[in-house]
PDB file of all heavy atoms in Angstrom:
ATOM      1  N   LEU A   1      54.696 -44.563 -39.807  1.00  0.00           N
ATOM      2  CA  LEU A   1      53.239 -44.487 -39.750  1.00  0.00           C
ATOM      3  C   LEU A   1      52.825 -45.019 -38.407  1.00  0.00           C
ATOM      4  O   LEU A   1      53.078 -46.182 -38.063  1.00  0.00           O
ATOM      5  CB  LEU A   1      52.620 -45.319 -40.892  1.00  0.00           C
ATOM      6  CG  LEU A   1      51.102 -45.571 -40.799  1.00  0.00           C
ATOM      7  CD1 LEU A   1      50.348 -44.221 -40.980  1.00  0.00           C
ATOM      8  CD2 LEU A   1      50.659 -46.592 -41.860  1.00  0.00           C
ATOM      9  N   LEU A   2      52.128 -44.167 -37.629  1.00  0.00           N
ATOM     10  CA  LEU A   2      51.590 -44.552 -36.325  1.00  0.00           C
ATOM     11  C   LEU A   2      50.080 -44.598 -36.361  1.00  0.00           C
ATOM     12  O   LEU A   2      49.429 -43.657 -36.721  1.00  0.00           O
ATOM     13  CB  LEU A   2      52.034 -43.562 -35.240  1.00  0.00           C
ATOM     14  CG  LEU A   2      51.555 -43.843 -33.803  1.00  0.00           C
ATOM     15  CD1 LEU A   2      52.187 -45.140 -33.302  1.00  0.00           C
ATOM     16  CD2 LEU A   2      51.852 -42.675 -32.890  1.00  0.00           C
ATOM     17  N   MET A   3      49.523 -45.806 -36.057  1.00  0.00           N
ATOM     18  CA  MET A   3      48.060 -45.988 -36.062  1.00  0.00           C
ATOM     19  C   MET A   3      47.614 -46.150 -34.634  1.00  0.00           C
ATOM     20  O   MET A   3      48.220 -46.882 -33.834  1.00  0.00           O
ATOM     21  CB  MET A   3      47.692 -47.211 -36.880  1.00  0.00           C
ATOM     22  CG  MET A   3      48.140 -47.130 -38.348  1.00  0.00           C
ATOM     23  SD  MET A   3      47.676 -48.615 -39.310  1.00  0.00           S
ATOM     24  CE  MET A   3      48.817 -49.796 -38.633  1.00  0.00           C
ATOM     25  N   LEU A   4      46.556 -45.417 -34.275  1.00  0.00           N
ATOM     26  CA  LEU A   4      46.025 -45.438 -32.911  1.00  0.00           C
ATOM     27  C   LEU A   4      44.569 -45.839 -32.931  1.00  0.00           C
ATOM     28  O   LEU A   4      43.760 -45.230 -33.624  1.00  0.00           O
ATOM     29  CB  LEU A   4      46.186 -44.044 -32.247  1.00  0.00           C
ATOM     30  CG  LEU A   4      47.636 -43.516 -32.207  1.00  0.00           C
ATOM     31  CD1 LEU A   4      47.802 -42.415 -33.222  1.00  0.00           C
ATOM     32  CD2 LEU A   4      47.966 -43.013 -30.800  1.00  0.00           C
ATOM     33  N   ASP A   5      44.255 -46.830 -32.115  1.00  0.00           N
ATOM     34  CA  ASP A   5      42.898 -47.343 -32.050  1.00  0.00           C
ATOM     35  C   ASP A   5      42.236 -46.924 -30.758  1.00  0.00           C
ATOM     36  O   ASP A   5      42.574 -47.403 -29.677  1.00  0.00           O
ATOM     37  CB  ASP A   5      42.902 -48.875 -32.166  1.00  0.00           C
ATOM     38  CG  ASP A   5      41.521 -49.487 -32.423  1.00  0.00           C
ATOM     39  OD1 ASP A   5      40.556 -48.724 -32.496  1.00  0.00           O
ATOM     40  OD2 ASP A   5      41.429 -50.698 -32.534  1.00  0.00           O
ATOM     41  N   GLU A   6      41.282 -45.974 -30.861  1.00  0.00           N
ATOM     42  CA  GLU A   6      40.541 -45.462 -29.735  1.00  0.00           C
ATOM     43  C   GLU A   6      41.449 -45.017 -28.568  1.00  0.00           C
ATOM     44  O   GLU A   6      41.354 -45.471 -27.434  1.00  0.00           O
ATOM     45  CB  GLU A   6      39.574 -46.544 -29.187  1.00  0.00           C
ATOM     46  CG  GLU A   6      38.555 -47.064 -30.235  1.00  0.00           C
ATOM     47  CD  GLU A   6      37.466 -46.020 -30.532  1.00  0.00           C
ATOM     48  OE1 GLU A   6      37.490 -44.907 -30.009  1.00  0.00           O
ATOM     49  OE2 GLU A   6      36.571 -46.393 -31.324  1.00  0.00           O
ATOM     50  N   PRO A   7      42.353 -44.053 -28.853  1.00  0.00           N
ATOM     51  CA  PRO A   7      43.284 -43.610 -27.770  1.00  0.00           C
ATOM     52  C   PRO A   7      42.578 -42.954 -26.591  1.00  0.00           C
ATOM     53  O   PRO A   7      43.173 -42.927 -25.491  1.00  0.00           O
ATOM     54  CB  PRO A   7      44.207 -42.636 -28.492  1.00  0.00           C
ATOM     55  CG  PRO A   7      43.427 -42.164 -29.704  1.00  0.00           C
ATOM     56  CD  PRO A   7      42.622 -43.381 -30.122  1.00  0.00           C
ATOM     57  N   SER A   8      41.346 -42.451 -26.789  1.00  0.00           N
ATOM     58  CA  SER A   8      40.677 -41.787 -25.634  1.00  0.00           C
ATOM     59  C   SER A   8      39.822 -42.748 -24.831  1.00  0.00           C
ATOM     60  O   SER A   8      39.211 -42.336 -23.819  1.00  0.00           O
ATOM     61  CB  SER A   8      39.741 -40.708 -26.217  1.00  0.00           C
ATOM     62  OG  SER A   8      38.652 -41.265 -26.908  1.00  0.00           O
ATOM     63  N   LEU A   9      39.785 -44.022 -25.182  1.00  0.00           N
ATOM     64  CA  LEU A   9      38.895 -44.987 -24.535  1.00  0.00           C
ATOM     65  C   LEU A   9      39.125 -45.050 -23.011  1.00  0.00           C
ATOM     66  O   LEU A   9      40.188 -45.286 -22.538  1.00  0.00           O
ATOM     67  CB  LEU A   9      39.133 -46.386 -25.098  1.00  0.00           C
ATOM     68  CG  LEU A   9      38.194 -47.494 -24.596  1.00  0.00           C
ATOM     69  CD1 LEU A   9      36.791 -47.231 -25.127  1.00  0.00           C
ATOM     70  CD2 LEU A   9      38.709 -48.866 -25.083  1.00  0.00           C
ATOM     71  N   GLY A  10      38.048 -44.793 -22.285  1.00  0.00           N
ATOM     72  CA  GLY A  10      38.050 -44.912 -20.810  1.00  0.00           C
ATOM     73  C   GLY A  10      38.774 -43.769 -20.088  1.00  0.00           C
ATOM     74  O   GLY A  10      38.987 -43.863 -18.888  1.00  0.00           O
ATOM     75  N   LEU A  11      39.115 -42.718 -20.777  1.00  0.00           N
ATOM     76  CA  LEU A  11      39.865 -41.594 -20.145  1.00  0.00           C
ATOM     77  C   LEU A  11      38.999 -40.393 -19.903  1.00  0.00           C
ATOM     78  O   LEU A  11      38.023 -40.129 -20.669  1.00  0.00           O
ATOM     79  CB  LEU A  11      41.024 -41.194 -21.044  1.00  0.00           C
ATOM     80  CG  LEU A  11      42.025 -42.277 -21.411  1.00  0.00           C
ATOM     81  CD1 LEU A  11      43.150 -41.699 -22.259  1.00  0.00           C
ATOM     82  CD2 LEU A  11      42.590 -42.986 -20.175  1.00  0.00           C
ATOM     83  N   ALA A  12      39.271 -39.672 -18.831  1.00  0.00           N
ATOM     84  CA  ALA A  12      38.551 -38.445 -18.503  1.00  0.00           C
ATOM     85  C   ALA A  12      38.856 -37.415 -19.597  1.00  0.00           C
ATOM     86  O   ALA A  12      39.921 -37.398 -20.170  1.00  0.00           O
ATOM     87  CB  ALA A  12      38.964 -37.956 -17.131  1.00  0.00           C
ATOM     88  N   PRO A  13      37.885 -36.447 -19.817  1.00  0.00           N
ATOM     89  CA  PRO A  13      38.106 -35.443 -20.864  1.00  0.00           C
ATOM     90  C   PRO A  13      39.384 -34.648 -20.682  1.00  0.00           C
ATOM     91  O   PRO A  13      40.072 -34.359 -21.677  1.00  0.00           O
ATOM     92  CB  PRO A  13      36.857 -34.561 -20.706  1.00  0.00           C
ATOM     93  CG  PRO A  13      35.805 -35.446 -20.151  1.00  0.00           C
ATOM     94  CD  PRO A  13      36.545 -36.414 -19.273  1.00  0.00           C
ATOM     95  N   ARG A  14      39.784 -34.330 -19.468  1.00  0.00           N
ATOM     96  CA  ARG A  14      41.012 -33.593 -19.213  1.00  0.00           C
ATOM     97  C   ARG A  14      42.235 -34.397 -19.675  1.00  0.00           C
ATOM     98  O   ARG A  14      43.166 -33.860 -20.307  1.00  0.00           O
ATOM     99  CB  ARG A  14      41.113 -33.271 -17.764  1.00  0.00           C
ATOM    100  CG  ARG A  14      42.449 -32.585 -17.350  1.00  0.00           C
ATOM    101  CD  ARG A  14      42.542 -32.371 -15.835  1.00  0.00           C
ATOM    102  NE  ARG A  14      42.321 -33.612 -15.108  1.00  0.00           N
ATOM    103  CZ  ARG A  14      43.295 -34.498 -14.893  1.00  0.00           C
ATOM    104  NH1 ARG A  14      44.545 -34.277 -15.394  1.00  0.00           N
ATOM    105  NH2 ARG A  14      43.063 -35.578 -14.171  1.00  0.00           N
ATOM    106  N   VAL A  15      42.196 -35.675 -19.422  1.00  0.00           N
ATOM    107  CA  VAL A  15      43.327 -36.559 -19.852  1.00  0.00           C
ATOM    108  C   VAL A  15      43.343 -36.692 -21.394  1.00  0.00           C
ATOM    109  O   VAL A  15      44.405 -36.709 -21.977  1.00  0.00           O
ATOM    110  CB  VAL A  15      43.213 -37.919 -19.146  1.00  0.00           C
ATOM    111  CG1 VAL A  15      44.338 -38.860 -19.595  1.00  0.00           C
ATOM    112  CG2 VAL A  15      43.200 -37.782 -17.661  1.00  0.00           C
ATOM    113  N   VAL A  16      42.137 -36.751 -21.974  1.00  0.00           N
ATOM    114  CA  VAL A  16      42.058 -36.892 -23.439  1.00  0.00           C
ATOM    115  C   VAL A  16      42.703 -35.602 -24.059  1.00  0.00           C
ATOM    116  O   VAL A  16      43.481 -35.738 -25.031  1.00  0.00           O
ATOM    117  CB  VAL A  16      40.604 -37.029 -23.892  1.00  0.00           C
ATOM    118  CG1 VAL A  16      40.537 -36.950 -25.395  1.00  0.00           C
ATOM    119  CG2 VAL A  16      40.061 -38.362 -23.406  1.00  0.00           C
ATOM    120  N   ARG A  17      42.410 -34.463 -23.540  1.00  0.00           N
ATOM    121  CA  ARG A  17      42.957 -33.235 -24.100  1.00  0.00           C
ATOM    122  C   ARG A  17      44.501 -33.255 -24.004  1.00  0.00           C
ATOM    123  O   ARG A  17      45.195 -32.849 -24.966  1.00  0.00           O
ATOM    124  CB  ARG A  17      42.410 -32.003 -23.378  1.00  0.00           C
ATOM    125  CG  ARG A  17      40.958 -31.698 -23.739  1.00  0.00           C
ATOM    126  CD  ARG A  17      40.526 -30.346 -23.230  1.00  0.00           C
ATOM    127  NE  ARG A  17      40.488 -30.282 -21.764  1.00  0.00           N
ATOM    128  CZ  ARG A  17      39.427 -30.597 -21.055  1.00  0.00           C
ATOM    129  NH1 ARG A  17      38.311 -31.007 -21.659  1.00  0.00           N
ATOM    130  NH2 ARG A  17      39.481 -30.508 -19.763  1.00  0.00           N
ATOM    131  N   THR A  18      45.012 -33.660 -22.848  1.00  0.00           N
ATOM    132  CA  THR A  18      46.469 -33.747 -22.683  1.00  0.00           C
ATOM    133  C   THR A  18      47.076 -34.721 -23.684  1.00  0.00           C
ATOM    134  O   THR A  18      48.115 -34.438 -24.314  1.00  0.00           O
ATOM    135  CB  THR A  18      46.776 -34.208 -21.262  1.00  0.00           C
ATOM    136  OG1 THR A  18      46.324 -33.217 -20.340  1.00  0.00           O
ATOM    137  CG2 THR A  18      48.312 -34.318 -21.091  1.00  0.00           C
ATOM    138  N   LEU A  19      46.420 -35.880 -23.865  1.00  0.00           N
ATOM    139  CA  LEU A  19      46.943 -36.880 -24.811  1.00  0.00           C
ATOM    140  C   LEU A  19      46.950 -36.351 -26.200  1.00  0.00           C
ATOM    141  O   LEU A  19      47.935 -36.535 -26.955  1.00  0.00           O
ATOM    142  CB  LEU A  19      46.057 -38.117 -24.703  1.00  0.00           C
ATOM    143  CG  LEU A  19      46.533 -39.372 -25.428  1.00  0.00           C
ATOM    144  CD1 LEU A  19      47.824 -39.864 -24.824  1.00  0.00           C
ATOM    145  CD2 LEU A  19      45.458 -40.427 -25.394  1.00  0.00           C
ATOM    146  N   TYR A  20      45.896 -35.641 -26.606  1.00  0.00           N
ATOM    147  CA  TYR A  20      45.837 -35.095 -27.936  1.00  0.00           C
ATOM    148  C   TYR A  20      46.817 -33.973 -28.179  1.00  0.00           C
ATOM    149  O   TYR A  20      47.290 -33.756 -29.293  1.00  0.00           O
ATOM    150  CB  TYR A  20      44.406 -34.662 -28.298  1.00  0.00           C
ATOM    151  CG  TYR A  20      43.629 -35.782 -29.020  1.00  0.00           C
ATOM    152  CD1 TYR A  20      42.946 -36.751 -28.266  1.00  0.00           C
ATOM    153  CD2 TYR A  20      43.679 -35.916 -30.377  1.00  0.00           C
ATOM    154  CE1 TYR A  20      42.283 -37.793 -28.873  1.00  0.00           C
ATOM    155  CE2 TYR A  20      42.992 -36.957 -31.010  1.00  0.00           C
ATOM    156  CZ  TYR A  20      42.319 -37.875 -30.273  1.00  0.00           C
ATOM    157  OH  TYR A  20      41.665 -38.940 -30.894  1.00  0.00           O
ATOM    158  N   GLU A  21      47.187 -33.278 -27.145  1.00  0.00           N
ATOM    159  CA  GLU A  21      48.262 -32.279 -27.260  1.00  0.00           C
ATOM    160  C   GLU A  21      49.568 -32.943 -27.695  1.00  0.00           C
ATOM    161  O   GLU A  21      50.317 -32.442 -28.516  1.00  0.00           O
ATOM    162  CB  GLU A  21      48.476 -31.554 -25.940  1.00  0.00           C
ATOM    163  CG  GLU A  21      47.353 -30.573 -25.596  1.00  0.00           C
ATOM    164  CD  GLU A  21      47.510 -29.987 -24.194  1.00  0.00           C
ATOM    165  OE1 GLU A  21      48.506 -30.333 -23.513  1.00  0.00           O
ATOM    166  OE2 GLU A  21      46.607 -29.242 -23.772  1.00  0.00           O
ATOM    167  N   LYS A  22      49.825 -34.146 -27.138  1.00  0.00           N
ATOM    168  CA  LYS A  22      51.007 -34.899 -27.493  1.00  0.00           C
ATOM    169  C   LYS A  22      50.939 -35.397 -28.930  1.00  0.00           C
ATOM    170  O   LYS A  22      51.915 -35.364 -29.694  1.00  0.00           O
ATOM    171  CB  LYS A  22      51.219 -36.100 -26.579  1.00  0.00           C
ATOM    172  CG  LYS A  22      51.301 -35.735 -25.108  1.00  0.00           C
ATOM    173  CD  LYS A  22      52.484 -34.858 -24.781  1.00  0.00           C
ATOM    174  CE  LYS A  22      52.561 -34.652 -23.252  1.00  0.00           C
ATOM    175  NZ  LYS A  22      53.772 -33.785 -22.894  1.00  0.00           N
ATOM    176  N   LEU A  23      49.716 -35.811 -29.377  1.00  0.00           N
ATOM    177  CA  LEU A  23      49.561 -36.277 -30.747  1.00  0.00           C
ATOM    178  C   LEU A  23      49.708 -35.113 -31.735  1.00  0.00           C
ATOM    179  O   LEU A  23      50.274 -35.285 -32.820  1.00  0.00           O
ATOM    180  CB  LEU A  23      48.199 -36.940 -30.917  1.00  0.00           C
ATOM    181  CG  LEU A  23      47.991 -38.221 -30.082  1.00  0.00           C
ATOM    182  CD1 LEU A  23      46.581 -38.780 -30.327  1.00  0.00           C
ATOM    183  CD2 LEU A  23      49.043 -39.255 -30.429  1.00  0.00           C
ATOM    184  N   HIS A  24      49.218 -33.953 -31.377  1.00  0.00           N
ATOM    185  CA  HIS A  24      49.438 -32.742 -32.214  1.00  0.00           C
ATOM    186  C   HIS A  24      50.921 -32.493 -32.392  1.00  0.00           C
ATOM    187  O   HIS A  24      51.374 -32.158 -33.473  1.00  0.00           O
ATOM    188  CB  HIS A  24      48.735 -31.541 -31.582  1.00  0.00           C
ATOM    189  CG  HIS A  24      47.269 -31.395 -31.915  1.00  0.00           C
ATOM    190  ND1 HIS A  24      46.826 -30.830 -33.085  1.00  0.00           N
ATOM    191  CD2 HIS A  24      46.194 -31.793 -31.193  1.00  0.00           C
ATOM    192  CE1 HIS A  24      45.494 -30.861 -33.054  1.00  0.00           C
ATOM    193  NE2 HIS A  24      45.076 -31.423 -31.964  1.00  0.00           N
ATOM    194  N   LEU A  25      51.694 -32.637 -31.272  1.00  0.00           N
ATOM    195  CA  LEU A  25      53.107 -32.413 -31.353  1.00  0.00           C
ATOM    196  C   LEU A  25      53.798 -33.408 -32.276  1.00  0.00           C
ATOM    197  O   LEU A  25      54.635 -33.041 -33.118  1.00  0.00           O
ATOM    198  CB  LEU A  25      53.705 -32.497 -29.949  1.00  0.00           C
ATOM    199  CG  LEU A  25      55.223 -32.322 -29.850  1.00  0.00           C
ATOM    200  CD1 LEU A  25      55.675 -30.984 -30.385  1.00  0.00           C
ATOM    201  CD2 LEU A  25      55.682 -32.491 -28.383  1.00  0.00           C
ATOM    202  N   LEU A  26      53.413 -34.690 -32.176  1.00  0.00           N
ATOM    203  CA  LEU A  26      53.968 -35.690 -33.064  1.00  0.00           C
ATOM    204  C   LEU A  26      53.673 -35.386 -34.528  1.00  0.00           C
ATOM    205  O   LEU A  26      54.501 -35.543 -35.421  1.00  0.00           O
ATOM    206  CB  LEU A  26      53.466 -37.090 -32.699  1.00  0.00           C
ATOM    207  CG  LEU A  26      53.957 -37.672 -31.389  1.00  0.00           C
ATOM    208  CD1 LEU A  26      53.181 -38.937 -31.039  1.00  0.00           C
ATOM    209  CD2 LEU A  26      55.466 -37.955 -31.447  1.00  0.00           C
ATOM    210  N   HIS A  27      52.431 -34.938 -34.774  1.00  0.00           N
ATOM    211  CA  HIS A  27      52.040 -34.579 -36.133  1.00  0.00           C
ATOM    212  C   HIS A  27      52.824 -33.430 -36.669  1.00  0.00           C
ATOM    213  O   HIS A  27      53.321 -33.427 -37.833  1.00  0.00           O
ATOM    214  CB  HIS A  27      50.546 -34.305 -36.149  1.00  0.00           C
ATOM    215  CG  HIS A  27      49.973 -33.985 -37.529  1.00  0.00           C
ATOM    216  ND1 HIS A  27      50.461 -34.593 -38.684  1.00  0.00           N
ATOM    217  CD2 HIS A  27      48.991 -33.106 -37.936  1.00  0.00           C
ATOM    218  CE1 HIS A  27      49.776 -34.104 -39.690  1.00  0.00           C
ATOM    219  NE2 HIS A  27      48.933 -33.243 -39.285  1.00  0.00           N
ATOM    220  N   ARG A  28      53.055 -32.378 -35.846  1.00  0.00           N
ATOM    221  CA  ARG A  28      53.862 -31.234 -36.267  1.00  0.00           C
ATOM    222  C   ARG A  28      55.275 -31.612 -36.560  1.00  0.00           C
ATOM    223  O   ARG A  28      55.937 -31.006 -37.376  1.00  0.00           O
ATOM    224  CB  ARG A  28      53.779 -30.141 -35.184  1.00  0.00           C
ATOM    225  CG  ARG A  28      52.451 -29.423 -35.103  1.00  0.00           C
ATOM    226  CD  ARG A  28      52.571 -28.106 -34.297  1.00  0.00           C
ATOM    227  NE  ARG A  28      52.974 -28.355 -32.909  1.00  0.00           N
ATOM    228  CZ  ARG A  28      52.141 -28.578 -31.921  1.00  0.00           C
ATOM    229  NH1 ARG A  28      50.812 -28.587 -32.114  1.00  0.00           N
ATOM    230  NH2 ARG A  28      52.569 -28.769 -30.658  1.00  0.00           N
ATOM    231  N   ARG A  29      55.761 -32.667 -35.887  1.00  0.00           N
ATOM    232  CA  ARG A  29      57.132 -33.140 -36.151  1.00  0.00           C
ATOM    233  C   ARG A  29      57.220 -33.962 -37.427  1.00  0.00           C
ATOM    234  O   ARG A  29      58.317 -34.398 -37.787  1.00  0.00           O
ATOM    235  CB  ARG A  29      57.586 -33.971 -34.943  1.00  0.00           C
ATOM    236  CG  ARG A  29      57.840 -33.154 -33.666  1.00  0.00           C
ATOM    237  CD  ARG A  29      58.271 -34.078 -32.538  1.00  0.00           C
ATOM    238  NE  ARG A  29      58.587 -33.279 -31.341  1.00  0.00           N
ATOM    239  CZ  ARG A  29      58.884 -33.808 -30.157  1.00  0.00           C
ATOM    240  NH1 ARG A  29      58.945 -35.113 -30.027  1.00  0.00           N
ATOM    241  NH2 ARG A  29      59.157 -33.034 -29.113  1.00  0.00           N
ATOM    242  N   GLY A  30      56.091 -34.232 -38.081  1.00  0.00           N
ATOM    243  CA  GLY A  30      56.107 -34.909 -39.360  1.00  0.00           C
ATOM    244  C   GLY A  30      55.720 -36.362 -39.352  1.00  0.00           C
ATOM    245  O   GLY A  30      55.809 -37.035 -40.392  1.00  0.00           O
ATOM    246  N   LEU A  31      55.310 -36.889 -38.198  1.00  0.00           N
ATOM    247  CA  LEU A  31      54.894 -38.300 -38.138  1.00  0.00           C
ATOM    248  C   LEU A  31      53.492 -38.456 -38.777  1.00  0.00           C
ATOM    249  O   LEU A  31      52.578 -37.721 -38.532  1.00  0.00           O
ATOM    250  CB  LEU A  31      54.838 -38.758 -36.692  1.00  0.00           C
ATOM    251  CG  LEU A  31      54.541 -40.253 -36.451  1.00  0.00           C
ATOM    252  CD1 LEU A  31      55.562 -41.138 -37.135  1.00  0.00           C
ATOM    253  CD2 LEU A  31      54.459 -40.546 -34.973  1.00  0.00           C
ATOM    254  N   THR A  32      53.395 -39.462 -39.627  1.00  0.00           N
ATOM    255  CA  THR A  32      52.114 -39.748 -40.302  1.00  0.00           C
ATOM    256  C   THR A  32      51.248 -40.566 -39.311  1.00  0.00           C
ATOM    257  O   THR A  32      51.705 -41.515 -38.696  1.00  0.00           O
ATOM    258  CB  THR A  32      52.328 -40.625 -41.584  1.00  0.00           C
ATOM    259  OG1 THR A  32      53.278 -39.902 -42.424  1.00  0.00           O
ATOM    260  CG2 THR A  32      51.046 -40.811 -42.347  1.00  0.00           C
ATOM    261  N   LEU A  33      49.998 -40.131 -39.222  1.00  0.00           N
ATOM    262  CA  LEU A  33      49.078 -40.679 -38.196  1.00  0.00           C
ATOM    263  C   LEU A  33      47.767 -41.190 -38.835  1.00  0.00           C
ATOM    264  O   LEU A  33      47.246 -40.533 -39.743  1.00  0.00           O
ATOM    265  CB  LEU A  33      48.694 -39.662 -37.127  1.00  0.00           C
ATOM    266  CG  LEU A  33      49.836 -39.035 -36.335  1.00  0.00           C
ATOM    267  CD1 LEU A  33      49.304 -37.896 -35.460  1.00  0.00           C
ATOM    268  CD2 LEU A  33      50.533 -40.065 -35.507  1.00  0.00           C
ATOM    269  N   VAL A  34      47.270 -42.298 -38.344  1.00  0.00           N
ATOM    270  CA  VAL A  34      45.914 -42.766 -38.654  1.00  0.00           C
ATOM    271  C   VAL A  34      45.257 -42.992 -37.333  1.00  0.00           C
ATOM    272  O   VAL A  34      45.775 -43.797 -36.511  1.00  0.00           O
ATOM    273  CB  VAL A  34      45.857 -44.047 -39.481  1.00  0.00           C
ATOM    274  CG1 VAL A  34      44.414 -44.499 -39.668  1.00  0.00           C
ATOM    275  CG2 VAL A  34      46.514 -43.804 -40.856  1.00  0.00           C
ATOM    276  N   ILE A  35      44.131 -42.344 -37.024  1.00  0.00           N
ATOM    277  CA  ILE A  35      43.478 -42.407 -35.734  1.00  0.00           C
ATOM    278  C   ILE A  35      42.066 -42.902 -35.898  1.00  0.00           C
ATOM    279  O   ILE A  35      41.242 -42.325 -36.651  1.00  0.00           O
ATOM    280  CB  ILE A  35      43.458 -41.040 -35.043  1.00  0.00           C
ATOM    281  CG1 ILE A  35      44.904 -40.478 -34.915  1.00  0.00           C
ATOM    282  CG2 ILE A  35      42.809 -41.095 -33.687  1.00  0.00           C
ATOM    283  CD1 ILE A  35      44.954 -39.093 -34.414  1.00  0.00           C
ATOM    284  N   VAL A  36      41.766 -44.002 -35.222  1.00  0.00           N
ATOM    285  CA  VAL A  36      40.378 -44.490 -35.105  1.00  0.00           C
ATOM    286  C   VAL A  36      39.832 -43.965 -33.808  1.00  0.00           C
ATOM    287  O   VAL A  36      40.480 -44.174 -32.754  1.00  0.00           O
ATOM    288  CB  VAL A  36      40.395 -46.030 -35.165  1.00  0.00           C
ATOM    289  CG1 VAL A  36      39.140 -46.614 -34.463  1.00  0.00           C
ATOM    290  CG2 VAL A  36      40.441 -46.526 -36.590  1.00  0.00           C
ATOM    291  N   GLU A  37      38.688 -43.370 -33.850  1.00  0.00           N
ATOM    292  CA  GLU A  37      38.245 -42.697 -32.664  1.00  0.00           C
ATOM    293  C   GLU A  37      36.718 -42.450 -32.662  1.00  0.00           C
ATOM    294  O   GLU A  37      36.106 -42.164 -33.664  1.00  0.00           O
ATOM    295  CB  GLU A  37      38.950 -41.333 -32.592  1.00  0.00           C
ATOM    296  CG  GLU A  37      38.713 -40.508 -31.351  1.00  0.00           C
ATOM    297  CD  GLU A  37      39.226 -41.108 -30.073  1.00  0.00           C
ATOM    298  OE1 GLU A  37      38.572 -42.010 -29.555  1.00  0.00           O
ATOM    299  OE2 GLU A  37      40.339 -40.694 -29.605  1.00  0.00           O
ATOM    300  N   GLN A  38      36.140 -42.610 -31.407  1.00  0.00           N
ATOM    301  CA  GLN A  38      34.760 -42.185 -31.206  1.00  0.00           C
ATOM    302  C   GLN A  38      34.696 -40.762 -30.725  1.00  0.00           C
ATOM    303  O   GLN A  38      33.659 -40.101 -30.789  1.00  0.00           O
ATOM    304  CB  GLN A  38      34.084 -43.120 -30.186  1.00  0.00           C
ATOM    305  CG  GLN A  38      33.887 -44.565 -30.676  1.00  0.00           C
ATOM    306  CD  GLN A  38      33.104 -45.349 -29.658  1.00  0.00           C
ATOM    307  OE1 GLN A  38      31.964 -45.106 -29.344  1.00  0.00           O
ATOM    308  NE2 GLN A  38      33.778 -46.388 -29.116  1.00  0.00           N
ATOM    309  N   TYR A  39      35.815 -40.269 -30.166  1.00  0.00           N
ATOM    310  CA  TYR A  39      35.910 -38.895 -29.681  1.00  0.00           C
ATOM    311  C   TYR A  39      36.115 -38.003 -30.918  1.00  0.00           C
ATOM    312  O   TYR A  39      37.221 -37.526 -31.202  1.00  0.00           O
ATOM    313  CB  TYR A  39      37.091 -38.787 -28.708  1.00  0.00           C
ATOM    314  CG  TYR A  39      36.917 -37.804 -27.593  1.00  0.00           C
ATOM    315  CD1 TYR A  39      36.495 -38.208 -26.321  1.00  0.00           C
ATOM    316  CD2 TYR A  39      37.175 -36.460 -27.795  1.00  0.00           C
ATOM    317  CE1 TYR A  39      36.366 -37.290 -25.288  1.00  0.00           C
ATOM    318  CE2 TYR A  39      37.073 -35.544 -26.765  1.00  0.00           C
ATOM    319  CZ  TYR A  39      36.688 -35.975 -25.538  1.00  0.00           C
ATOM    320  OH  TYR A  39      36.517 -35.067 -24.489  1.00  0.00           O
ATOM    321  N   VAL A  40      35.036 -37.783 -31.646  1.00  0.00           N
ATOM    322  CA  VAL A  40      35.132 -37.292 -33.041  1.00  0.00           C
ATOM    323  C   VAL A  40      35.692 -35.902 -33.086  1.00  0.00           C
ATOM    324  O   VAL A  40      36.541 -35.619 -33.954  1.00  0.00           O
ATOM    325  CB  VAL A  40      33.727 -37.322 -33.691  1.00  0.00           C
ATOM    326  CG1 VAL A  40      33.738 -36.660 -35.055  1.00  0.00           C
ATOM    327  CG2 VAL A  40      33.213 -38.754 -33.812  1.00  0.00           C
TER     328      VAL A  40
END
């Protein structure tokens, strides 16, 4: 179980998109995720 608290905090939108691509990959690999986020 991986929990992430505001992973987009202080990052440019382009960087946020790249970061979320990695999180999508982790999710597709079967990792359970809990994400706290203002970047709704």
Side-chain angles (χ1 to χ4, degrees):
L1 171 66
L2 180 65
M3 300 180 288
L4 302 106
D5 192 359
E6 303 286 4
S8 69
L9 185 67
L11 303 181
R14 175 183 56 82
V15 179
V16 173
R17 287 192 294 271
T18 299
L19 189 66
Y20 267 87
E21 288 172 3
K22 304 296 186 180
L23 296 180
H24 277 276
L25 178 59
L26 290 171
H27 182 35
R28 288 195 298 271
R29 290 178 177 176
L31 184 60
T32 307
L33 302 173
V34 176
I35 303 173
V36 155
E37 185 65 280
Q38 293 183 64
Y39 213 98
V40 174

